[in-house]
Amino acid sequence: MKAAQLSALVLALASLAPPVQVMAAQASQPQAAINGYQPAWWKEAVVYQVYPRSFKDSNGDGIGDLPGITSKLDYLQQLGVDVIWLSPHYDSPNADNGYDIRDYRKVMAEFGTMADFDTMLAAIKQRHMRLIIDLVVNHTSDEHHWFVESRKSKANPYRDFYFWRDGRPGPDGKLLPPNNDPSFFSGSAWQFDPATNQYYLHYFAVKQPDLNWDNPKVREEVYSLMRFWLDKGVDGFRMDVIPLISKNPAFPDLTPEQLSNIGDAYANGPHMHEYLQEMNRNVMAKYDVMTVGEALGISLAQTPLMVDDRRHELNTIFNFDAIRFNRDGIKLKPLDLPGFKAIYTRHAEGLDKHSWDTVFLSNHDNPRVVSTFGDDSPEFRVPSAKLLETMLLTLRGTPFLYQGDELGMTNYPFRSIEDFDDIEVKNYYKANVLTGRIAEAAYLEDMRHTSRDNSRTPMQWDASANGGFTTATKPWLAENPNYAQINAAEEVADPHSIYNYTRSVIAFRHDHPAFIYGDYQDIDPGNTSVFAYTRTLGPERYLVVLNFESKPLTYTLPGGITAGSLMLANLPTKEQNTGSLHLAGWEARIYKLR
Ligand code: NOJ
Ligand code: CA
């Protein structure tokens, strides 16, 4: 065979081979540990979450879509993002904005087609970025064909794909749910279905029935759909409420204490680790992928059981200690800085070199980072947003940024219940405001601070109508009216913008492995105004100083430490080689220590 023919054959064979083989070969070459950590691309990555409904609308129907994402990949590449986490893009009737999946192998019609997905994935790879997708397999939509079948009869082959139980007779003879489990979205977690006179379990909305993972056929279906997407070339999964997949089939009533924290009560079922290990063996072990579990109900002490690399379950998880620290249920409370900082020390001490962490303070289930942990007033929005980006990108763990935070997008000025879309807000309103338990004004005030819709308003691309998100007269959820001042076009062009600052901190992180594999130490844990910590890798030692107050202060570094050379700052300063720092409100600096 001639050389040209041979290379044509090799090319043809290569295009037939699933990407898994190439990946697995790469994955099997062990690298030397760095500071005791096994290096991995997902440890070095900066992840950016895209909420597709709100990212960019390409066809003028008011709904973000996949071609819209593809059209904005240069913006993400320029920011320096390594991995995109895409919230659910699957076929769904949207009871919970895509977290209720009707068909795991189909793209939501509003978001485009499978060809659009393939084009987007190829364009992501072309830009040397990766894509992880949302795996939502604790529950499906009630419109998924498994559930459509399941509810038909007790003898249906899909009956045991879900949890069906008899009701229990109440005092007046009327049927009551099988136990007292509440749904995260208000009301009972059991829904009566007249077709077979039984109840089915739904920890979330009525339209989100929980899958029965004790049925091996369910697990096989899940592994098979995971392979379907991995074989297309996606680089892993963010796993929705994954600690909830294993249930106690006896469904005993929850105790009053358990009822006060149902996340904890529902997580960590009897077979959770067994199923995650099986999933790893059957799926993840065969690909070079990243997995991050949404670890509702998993304490720090339990975390290594899920992520220790010798256990072969998940790579890492989202722990909600930090993001929910200034929350009391639906209420926002002032940030107690020493308590907040202590979380990061506990994590550094509680997770050893085999357990990798994540760092995040926002996502599609939480309000905007600058409005929640910073100060979104006109005076301090820019410096406080930059300070928070500095912190997220220099703490210990893989950072996850949420779309729009790089622009300093803020919470939305909701006026009435009609302004909201979220099923969680609406169900809570029905259950508590309409029944007179909570006053409407108080509820709306809380929702202005904590509702999930704050972060779901469309991306603000430019100062044109609807922030350049859509050409439709009305987007699916109103654009924040501040888009004329806060938008990507302005910020990309302005060298002093939050976007360009975030870009420089991401580049700085990429250039300094101390921020990835280095040790972490809080040097002033009791300080109520300043968060100051070091990251150390061998001889390389850096100091991060963050003023969480809006007032200026003089900060004397503890223990006679001298700040060395100034590497980065969110405000103009030249101060360096001194032990006494004059910090403006919300000032953030990074020094290299000698
Ligand atoms: C967690 C997701 O992040 C949230 O948006 C969703 O409502 C629930 N899981 C149910 O899937
Ligand atoms: Ca669209």
Side-chain angles (χ1 to χ4, degrees):
M1 198 183 289
K2 288 203 182 107
Q5 280 174 321
L6 184 68
S7 63
L9 180 67
V10 168
L11 275 179
L13 285 174
S15 67
L16 288 176
V20 33
Q21 295 180 1
V22 182
M23 296 295 206
Q26 284 169 359
S28 64
Q29 289 163 16
Q31 294 179 48
I34 303 179
N35 190 25
Y37 293 101
Q38 187 56 49
W41 60 263
W42 46 267
K43 294 180 182 171
E44 296 168 14
V46 171
V47 186
Y48 182 101
Q49 182 188 355
V50 168
Y51 194 67
R53 214 171 183 73
S54 302
F55 196 62
K56 173 71 186 163
D57 175 21
S58 72
N59 61 351
D61 65 355
I63 297 170
D65 47 50
L66 303 185
I69 298 172
T70 306
S71 75
K72 292 295 183 185
L73 290 176
D74 288 338
Y75 168 88
L76 297 180
Q77 186 188 22
Q78 207 187 330
L79 185 61
V81 166
D82 304 290
V83 175
I84 295 168
W85 152 26
L86 184 65
S87 273
H89 63 284
Y90 313 91
D91 175 46
S92 161
N94 284 306
D96 186 20
N97 278 350
Y99 282 91
D100 48 319
I101 297 172
R102 183 165 48 202
D103 186 339
Y104 289 100
R105 288 179 171 79
K106 224 169 131 184
V107 170
M108 191 187 300
E110 290 162 328
F111 292 172
T113 62
M114 192 61 90
D116 293 329
F117 181 90
D118 294 339
T119 304
M120 177 187 73
L121 182 58
I124 290 171
K125 304 251 158 176
Q126 209 177 35
R127 288 167 179 76
H128 309 290
M129 296 189 285
R130 303 190 201 231
L131 177 69
I132 63 172
I133 58 175
D134 226 300
L135 183 73
V136 189
V137 288
N138 171 70
H139 44 267
T140 66
S141 163
D142 66 342
E143 297 182 29
H144 193 291
H145 87 92
W146 301 334
F147 191 77
V148 171
E149 286 300 314
S150 185
R151 78 190 323 175
K152 281 185 181 162
S153 75
K154 291 184 179 173
N156 190 284
Y158 288 95
R159 188 67 172 178
D160 286 340
F161 267 51
Y162 299 87
F163 294 101
W164 292 97
R165 295 289 184 276
D166 290 331
R168 45 181 183 188
D172 55 1
K174 254 177 62 187
L175 266 195
L176 294 176
N179 78 355
N180 67 355
D181 280 359
S183 151
F184 286 102
F185 291 164
S186 305
S188 169
W190 295 97
Q191 177 69 19
F192 182 72
D193 199 44
T196 53
N197 282 324
Q198 282 195 313
Y199 286 80
Y200 67 85
L201 181 74
H202 63 90
Y203 279 164
F204 293 90
V206 170
K207 283 182 69 64
Q208 290 169 299
D210 282 48
L211 282 165
N212 172 15
W213 274 66
D214 295 334
N215 181 346
K217 288 192 192 132
V218 167
R219 305 205 299 277
E220 258 324 306
E221 289 283 2
V222 170
Y223 306 153
S224 153
L225 76 90
M226 290 173 76
R227 283 185 215 109
F228 172 83
W229 291 99
L230 291 172
D231 289 340
K232 272 187 172 291
V234 309
D235 300 288
F237 300 100
R238 173 269 188 185
M239 299 189 182
D240 193 67
V241 293
I242 201 72
L244 268 46
I245 56 174
S246 167
K247 276 110 183 160
N248 174 353
F251 292 105
D253 269 337
L254 297 185
T255 63
E257 201 201 328
Q258 287 176 313
L259 285 169
S260 70
N261 188 339
I262 55 171
D264 286 2
Y266 293 162
N268 262 313
H271 302 287
M272 181 187 76
H273 293 295
E274 181 189 322
Y275 296 158
L276 287 177
Q277 284 172 16
E278 182 185 81
M279 179 198 270
N280 190 308
R281 260 194 326 274
N282 279 277
V283 186
M284 282 92 93
K286 304 192 160 78
Y287 301 81
D288 179 21
V289 292
M290 160 178 195
T291 52
V292 51
E294 188 204 18
L296 187 76
I298 299 293
S299 67
L300 178 61
Q302 293 159 341
T303 299
L305 293 174
M306 263 185 144
V307 306
D308 186 307
D309 53 20
R310 294 161 296 191
R311 289 177 52 85
H312 305 289
E313 294 190 16
L314 302 179
N315 292 143
T316 184
I317 61 170
F318 295 134
N319 165 296
F320 295 100
D321 290 354
I323 198 171
R324 290 294 169 106
F325 183 71
N326 55 356
R327 282 278 287 275
D328 187 1
I330 62 168
K331 291 196 180 308
L332 187 71
K333 55 180 190 188
L335 186 73
D336 153 32
L337 191 66
F340 182 63
K341 298 191 291 189
I343 296 170
Y344 296 103
T345 298
R346 276 204 302 278
H347 276 235
E349 288 168 356
L351 301 180
D352 70 9
K353 310 257 162 155
H354 289 283
S355 293
W356 193 257
D357 215 344
T358 58
V359 183
F360 63 102
L361 286 177
S362 56
N363 59 30
H364 66 292
D365 291 332
N366 288 280
R368 285 284 171 189
V369 69
V370 70
S371 305
T372 311
F373 292 94
D375 178 341
D376 63 8
S377 68
E379 194 179 356
F380 294 110
R381 185 185 65 87
V382 173
S384 70
K386 289 178 178 175
L387 174 143
L388 292 165
E389 301 291 73
T390 313
M391 178 185 137
L392 290 163
L393 291 160
T394 55
L395 281 171
R396 181 178 167 279
T398 297
F400 283 71
L401 308 181
Y402 180 71
Q403 69 183 36
D405 285 344
E406 77 282 8
L407 303 174
M409 279 176 61
T410 62
N411 280 355
Y412 183 89
F414 295 102
R415 286 152 314 187
S416 75
I417 190 70
E418 280 74 44
D419 289 344
F420 293 91
D421 167 84
D422 181 13
I423 186 167
E424 186 178 25
V425 174
K426 291 184 165 168
N427 281 2
Y428 196 97
Y429 182 86
K430 274 186 221 138
N432 297 289
V433 177
L434 294 185
T435 55
R437 282 195 203 121
I438 296 182
E440 170 147 27
Y443 181 58
L444 289 177
E445 179 56 14
D446 285 335
M447 288 303 97
R448 273 191 282 275
H449 293 295
T450 62
S451 117
R452 311 196 293 180
D453 278 343
N454 280 302
S455 61
R456 298 178 179 186
T457 64
M459 273 290 278
Q460 299 170 198
W461 291 108
D462 58 42
S464 69
N466 290 314
F469 164 71
T470 181
T471 54
T473 36
K474 226 174 136 202
W476 75 276
L477 183 66
E479 192 88 13
N480 193 310
N482 61 21
Y483 68 78
Q485 298 82 47
I486 304 174
N487 64 65
E490 294 247 339
E491 294 210 25
V492 168
D494 173 6
H496 304 296
S497 66
I498 303 167
Y499 174 89
N500 278 310
Y501 178 78
T502 304
R503 187 180 169 204
S504 64
V505 190
I506 292 176
F508 179 76
R509 179 187 172 89
H510 283 144
D511 286 347
H512 296 86
F515 291 96
I516 298 161
Y517 298 113
D519 293 332
Y520 166 84
Q521 196 189 355
D522 182 346
I523 60 164
D524 198 358
N527 195 305
T528 53
S529 307
V530 174
F531 192 4
Y533 51 90
T534 54
R535 299 296 312 271
T536 307
L537 184 64
E540 299 270 303
R541 192 154 176 243
Y542 297 89
L543 168 70
V544 180
V545 181
L546 312 170
N547 178 11
F548 269 77
E549 302 276 352
S550 48
K551 57 178 195 302
L553 50 86
T554 301
Y555 180 54
T556 306
L557 289 166
I561 298 179
T562 302
S565 352
L566 184 67
M567 308 294 290
L568 254 173
N570 68 345
L571 288 166
T573 178
K574 293 207 162 65
E575 207 167 45
Q576 56 182 355
N577 301 319
T578 167
S580 179
L581 304 176
H582 301 86
L583 302 172
W586 293 102
E587 184 157 3
R589 298 182 190 170
I590 306 177
Y591 288 98
K592 181 162 198 232
L593 295 177
R594 270 183 274 192

